[in-house]
Amino acid sequence: MKNKIVIYDFDGTLTPYSVPKIELMDKIGCTAQEYEEKMKAWLALNPTKDVFDAYYITFLNVLKEYGYPLTDETFAMGGNLNDYNPGVIEYFEDIKNLTKNYLVSSGFKVPLQHSGVAKYFDEIYGTVFSYDENKTATGIAYAMNDRRKVDKIKEICALNHLDDLNLENVIYIGDGLTDAYAMSFVKEHGGLPIFVYQPHENLDAFNELKNKGIVDHAFVADYSRDTDLYNTILEFLHK
């Protein structure tokens, strides 16, 4: 069995909600609707920026508004409270000696590092804050987005001494159109992109990606033993 690498998106891929659920916002009383309104207001004032920028900056602005210190201790709050798709923990236990696992998410790196699945990843990539000398966040040092996920896949290949033009031993698992660049890159170079979805969701996003030749496989995001998703990944890892 050759060395294999599995790369995961987070929200919607490992969790049951495709839109990031920020437990810290629930704790301080900022609802999802309020957060979205603040994002739209910020974008109206910054029309050259995109929704990723709005999401990240709004996070810091809300914390300041509610009087929370912009420190890693604050950012980590609630990071361990995520819900996961069925079978996720058992799945990681089953494969932890079969492959290297990497998380590439547009979410914030600090709470991801405190999540209940963090210990299963060889490295976690996400959006990173910039800090002053007092370890207080001053802004965003690196904003992960859909295009930059490809850069991280190349970085992961370099770490593992793999040619990023030959990804036959790489799986990428994602749940939406924001994974299109990553999935396309992996498939184009011989790897296996897998689309996962929630049972109640339609397959419009998958069909769009499939019609573009980006991904062929779609499974319900159930990692339990003997599901189609579990068996497909295990078969790949044992090749």
Side-chain angles (χ1 to χ4, degrees), residues 70-140:
L70 304 185
T71 62
D72 282 357
E73 184 177 3
T74 298
F75 304 146
M77 292 170 60
N80 62 338
L81 298 178
N82 284 297
D83 298 319
Y84 295 99
N85 287 321
V88 163
I89 301 300
E90 293 79 10
Y91 158 80
F92 277 119
E93 285 292 326
D94 286 352
I95 71 162
K96 63 184 179 183
N97 296 320
L98 298 176
T99 183
K100 289 187 175 181
N101 296 298
Y102 293 89
L103 184 61
V104 180
S105 170
S106 57
F108 298 110
K109 183 174 181 177
V110 173
L112 291 173
Q113 289 174 315
H114 290 81
S115 69
V117 294
K119 66 181 181 180
Y120 296 111
F121 296 106
D122 291 83
E123 184 59 74
I124 293 173
Y125 298 92
T127 293
V128 179
F129 300 106
S130 56
Y131 299 87
D132 64 18
E133 64 277 6
N134 297 316
K135 298 184 178 180
T136 297
T138 58
I140 305 299

Side-chain angles (χ1 to χ4, degrees), residues 42-53:
W42 187 86
L43 277 171
L45 295 174
N46 299 273
T48 62
K49 302 295 185 179
D50 62 24
V51 68
F52 288 98
D53 296 313

Side-chain angles (χ1 to χ4, degrees), residues 13 47 74 105 197 207 215 230:
T13 299
T74 298
S105 170
Y197 61 96
N207 289 330
V215 63
Y230 180 97

Side-chain angles (χ1 to χ4, degrees), residues 10-11 29 36 67 81 95 101 112 128 134 158 166 169 174 181-182 196 198 225 231 233:
F10 188 70
D11 298 298
E36 183 177 356
L81 298 178
I95 71 162
N101 296 298
L112 291 173
V128 179
N134 297 316
N166 180 6
N169 293 319
Y181 290 106
V196 296
Q198 301 303 314
R225 292 175 184 142
N231 289 336
I233 297 172

Side-chain angles (χ1 to χ4, degrees), residues 85-88 91 94 194 196 218-235:
N85 287 321
V88 163
Y91 158 80
D94 286 352
I194 294 176
V196 296
F219 304 109
V220 172
D222 185 344
Y223 295 77
S224 303
R225 292 175 184 142
D226 292 328
T227 60
D228 290 340
L229 176 59
Y230 180 97
N231 289 336
T232 299
I233 297 172
L234 266 290
E235 180 182 354

